[in-house]
mmCIF file of all heavy atoms in Angstrom:
data_model
loop_
_atom_site.group_PDB
_atom_site.id
_atom_site.type_symbol
_atom_site.label_atom_id
_atom_site.label_comp_id
_atom_site.label_asym_id
_atom_site.label_seq_id
_atom_site.Cartn_x
_atom_site.Cartn_y
_atom_site.Cartn_z
ATOM 1 N N PHE A 34 107.951 94.851 106.032
ATOM 2 C CA PHE A 34 106.914 94.348 105.126
ATOM 3 C C PHE A 34 107.380 93.138 104.320
ATOM 4 O O PHE A 34 106.595 92.240 104.029
ATOM 5 C CB PHE A 34 106.460 95.445 104.158
ATOM 6 C CG PHE A 34 105.788 96.572 104.858
ATOM 7 C CD1 PHE A 34 106.477 97.748 105.115
ATOM 8 C CD2 PHE A 34 104.474 96.465 105.284
ATOM 9 C CE1 PHE A 34 105.862 98.800 105.779
ATOM 10 C CE2 PHE A 34 103.854 97.516 105.940
ATOM 11 C CZ PHE A 34 104.550 98.687 106.193
ATOM 12 N N ASP A 35 108.631 93.154 103.882
ATOM 13 C CA ASP A 35 109.203 92.023 103.156
ATOM 14 C C ASP A 35 110.709 92.081 103.366
ATOM 15 O O ASP A 35 111.174 92.747 104.286
ATOM 16 C CB ASP A 35 108.792 92.016 101.668
ATOM 17 C CG ASP A 35 109.210 93.259 100.904
ATOM 18 O OD1 ASP A 35 110.252 93.856 101.222
ATOM 19 O OD2 ASP A 35 108.491 93.635 99.960
ATOM 20 N N GLY A 36 111.478 91.423 102.536
ATOM 21 C CA GLY A 36 112.915 91.326 102.752
ATOM 22 C C GLY A 36 113.725 92.576 102.540
ATOM 23 O O GLY A 36 114.890 92.633 102.928
ATOM 24 N N ASN A 37 113.137 93.602 101.924
ATOM 25 C CA ASN A 37 113.882 94.861 101.782
ATOM 26 C C ASN A 37 112.998 96.102 101.854
ATOM 27 O O ASN A 37 113.441 97.189 101.508
ATOM 28 C CB ASN A 37 114.737 94.865 100.509
ATOM 29 C CG ASN A 37 113.926 94.875 99.226
ATOM 30 O OD1 ASN A 37 112.727 94.611 99.242
ATOM 31 N ND2 ASN A 37 114.573 95.154 98.124
ATOM 32 N N THR A 38 111.773 95.967 102.330
ATOM 33 C CA THR A 38 110.873 97.108 102.474
ATOM 34 C C THR A 38 110.401 97.192 103.925
ATOM 35 O O THR A 38 109.952 96.199 104.487
ATOM 36 C CB THR A 38 109.655 96.978 101.538
ATOM 37 O OG1 THR A 38 110.113 96.709 100.213
ATOM 38 C CG2 THR A 38 108.825 98.252 101.550
ATOM 39 N N PHE A 39 110.514 98.396 104.487
ATOM 40 C CA PHE A 39 110.165 98.560 105.893
ATOM 41 C C PHE A 39 109.714 99.989 106.166
ATOM 42 O O PHE A 39 109.818 100.865 105.310
ATOM 43 C CB PHE A 39 111.353 98.184 106.795
ATOM 44 C CG PHE A 39 112.624 98.908 106.488
ATOM 45 C CD1 PHE A 39 112.948 100.088 107.131
ATOM 46 C CD2 PHE A 39 113.514 98.409 105.542
ATOM 47 C CE1 PHE A 39 114.123 100.755 106.849
ATOM 48 C CE2 PHE A 39 114.700 99.065 105.251
ATOM 49 C CZ PHE A 39 115.006 100.238 105.910
ATOM 50 N N GLN A 40 109.216 100.198 107.365
ATOM 51 C CA GLN A 40 108.715 101.508 107.796
ATOM 52 C C GLN A 40 109.597 102.034 108.907
ATOM 53 O O GLN A 40 109.967 101.298 109.820
ATOM 54 C CB GLN A 40 107.280 101.376 108.290
ATOM 55 C CG GLN A 40 106.654 102.673 108.726
ATOM 56 C CD GLN A 40 105.210 102.488 109.170
ATOM 57 O OE1 GLN A 40 104.718 101.371 109.266
ATOM 58 N NE2 GLN A 40 104.543 103.579 109.426
ATOM 59 N N VAL A 41 109.929 103.331 108.819
ATOM 60 C CA VAL A 41 110.700 103.995 109.863
ATOM 61 C C VAL A 41 109.851 105.099 110.486
ATOM 62 O O VAL A 41 108.733 105.367 110.047
ATOM 63 C CB VAL A 41 112.031 104.573 109.324
ATOM 64 C CG1 VAL A 41 112.936 103.463 108.820
ATOM 65 C CG2 VAL A 41 111.790 105.611 108.243
ATOM 66 N N ASP A 42 110.405 105.747 111.489
ATOM 67 C CA ASP A 42 109.658 106.775 112.216
ATOM 68 C C ASP A 42 109.547 108.100 111.475
ATOM 69 O O ASP A 42 109.073 109.082 112.040
ATOM 70 C CB ASP A 42 110.250 106.974 113.612
ATOM 71 C CG ASP A 42 111.745 107.254 113.615
ATOM 72 O OD1 ASP A 42 112.372 107.261 112.531
ATOM 73 O OD2 ASP A 42 112.296 107.453 114.701
ATOM 74 N N GLY A 43 109.936 108.152 110.214
ATOM 75 C CA GLY A 43 109.715 109.343 109.401
ATOM 76 C C GLY A 43 110.990 109.929 108.827
ATOM 77 O O GLY A 43 111.948 110.143 109.543
ATOM 78 N N TRP A 44 111.007 110.160 107.526
ATOM 79 C CA TRP A 44 112.145 110.748 106.835
ATOM 80 C C TRP A 44 111.668 111.927 105.985
ATOM 81 O O TRP A 44 110.493 112.045 105.677
ATOM 82 C CB TRP A 44 112.871 109.726 105.946
ATOM 83 C CG TRP A 44 111.968 108.958 105.017
ATOM 84 C CD1 TRP A 44 111.525 107.683 105.193
ATOM 85 C CD2 TRP A 44 111.366 109.413 103.799
ATOM 86 N NE1 TRP A 44 110.683 107.314 104.159
ATOM 87 C CE2 TRP A 44 110.575 108.364 103.281
ATOM 88 C CE3 TRP A 44 111.409 110.599 103.079
ATOM 89 C CZ2 TRP A 44 109.843 108.472 102.097
ATOM 90 C CZ3 TRP A 44 110.677 110.702 101.898
ATOM 91 C CH2 TRP A 44 109.915 109.639 101.431
ATOM 92 N N THR A 45 112.594 112.775 105.619
ATOM 93 C CA THR A 45 112.344 113.871 104.686
ATOM 94 C C THR A 45 113.476 113.876 103.676
ATOM 95 O O THR A 45 114.653 113.792 104.052
ATOM 96 C CB THR A 45 112.304 115.229 105.418
ATOM 97 O OG1 THR A 45 111.261 115.188 106.389
ATOM 98 C CG2 THR A 45 112.048 116.369 104.448
ATOM 99 N N TRP A 46 113.109 113.948 102.401
ATOM 100 C CA TRP A 46 114.086 113.992 101.318
ATOM 101 C C TRP A 46 113.559 114.927 100.246
ATOM 102 O O TRP A 46 112.472 114.713 99.713
ATOM 103 C CB TRP A 46 114.335 112.597 100.753
ATOM 104 C CG TRP A 46 115.297 112.569 99.615
ATOM 105 C CD1 TRP A 46 116.643 112.745 99.681
ATOM 106 C CD2 TRP A 46 114.989 112.347 98.239
ATOM 107 N NE1 TRP A 46 117.195 112.645 98.429
ATOM 108 C CE2 TRP A 46 116.195 112.396 97.514
ATOM 109 C CE3 TRP A 46 113.808 112.115 97.545
ATOM 110 C CZ2 TRP A 46 116.250 112.223 96.141
ATOM 111 C CZ3 TRP A 46 113.870 111.937 96.173
ATOM 112 C CH2 TRP A 46 115.088 111.986 95.492
ATOM 113 N N ARG A 47 114.345 115.951 99.955
ATOM 114 C CA ARG A 47 113.934 117.003 99.030
ATOM 115 C C ARG A 47 112.553 117.506 99.432
ATOM 116 O O ARG A 47 112.362 117.899 100.561
ATOM 117 C CB ARG A 47 114.005 116.514 97.591
ATOM 118 C CG ARG A 47 115.417 116.188 97.164
ATOM 119 C CD ARG A 47 115.507 115.851 95.720
ATOM 120 N NE ARG A 47 116.890 115.571 95.360
ATOM 121 C CZ ARG A 47 117.237 115.035 94.228
ATOM 122 N NH1 ARG A 47 116.332 114.734 93.312
ATOM 123 N NH2 ARG A 47 118.500 114.798 93.971
ATOM 124 N N GLU A 48 111.587 117.516 98.516
ATOM 125 C CA GLU A 48 110.239 118.000 98.863
ATOM 126 C C GLU A 48 109.323 116.895 99.374
ATOM 127 O O GLU A 48 108.142 117.118 99.599
ATOM 128 C CB GLU A 48 109.587 118.698 97.648
ATOM 129 C CG GLU A 48 109.191 117.778 96.522
ATOM 130 C CD GLU A 48 110.314 117.425 95.550
ATOM 131 O OE1 GLU A 48 111.467 117.840 95.737
ATOM 132 O OE2 GLU A 48 110.017 116.712 94.585
ATOM 133 N N HIS A 49 109.861 115.704 99.571
ATOM 134 C CA HIS A 49 109.061 114.556 99.997
ATOM 135 C C HIS A 49 109.308 114.223 101.467
ATOM 136 O O HIS A 49 110.389 114.451 101.991
ATOM 137 C CB HIS A 49 109.398 113.324 99.158
ATOM 138 C CG HIS A 49 109.288 113.546 97.692
ATOM 139 N ND1 HIS A 49 108.085 113.677 97.046
ATOM 140 C CD2 HIS A 49 110.245 113.663 96.738
ATOM 141 C CE1 HIS A 49 108.298 113.860 95.757
ATOM 142 N NE2 HIS A 49 109.601 113.870 95.536
ATOM 143 N N SER A 50 108.300 113.645 102.094
ATOM 144 C CA SER A 50 108.463 113.094 103.434
ATOM 145 C C SER A 50 107.591 111.855 103.524
ATOM 146 O O SER A 50 106.616 111.704 102.795
ATOM 147 C CB SER A 50 108.073 114.115 104.504
ATOM 148 O OG SER A 50 106.721 114.482 104.366
ATOM 149 N N GLY A 51 107.964 110.963 104.398
ATOM 150 C CA GLY A 51 107.208 109.733 104.556
ATOM 151 C C GLY A 51 107.877 108.815 105.552
ATOM 152 O O GLY A 51 108.720 109.236 106.339
ATOM 153 N N SER A 52 107.492 107.536 105.488
ATOM 154 C CA SER A 52 108.049 106.573 106.435
ATOM 155 C C SER A 52 108.431 105.241 105.784
ATOM 156 O O SER A 52 109.041 104.408 106.425
ATOM 157 C CB SER A 52 107.043 106.309 107.565
ATOM 158 O OG SER A 52 105.845 105.759 107.039
#
Side-chain angles (χ1 to χ4, degrees):
F34 295 101
D35 59 32
N37 67 345
T38 309
F39 54 92
Q40 181 178 7
V41 297
D42 53 358
W44 51 258
T45 300
W46 178 73
R47 296 186 179 168
E48 70 276 3
H49 306 288
S50 61
S52 61

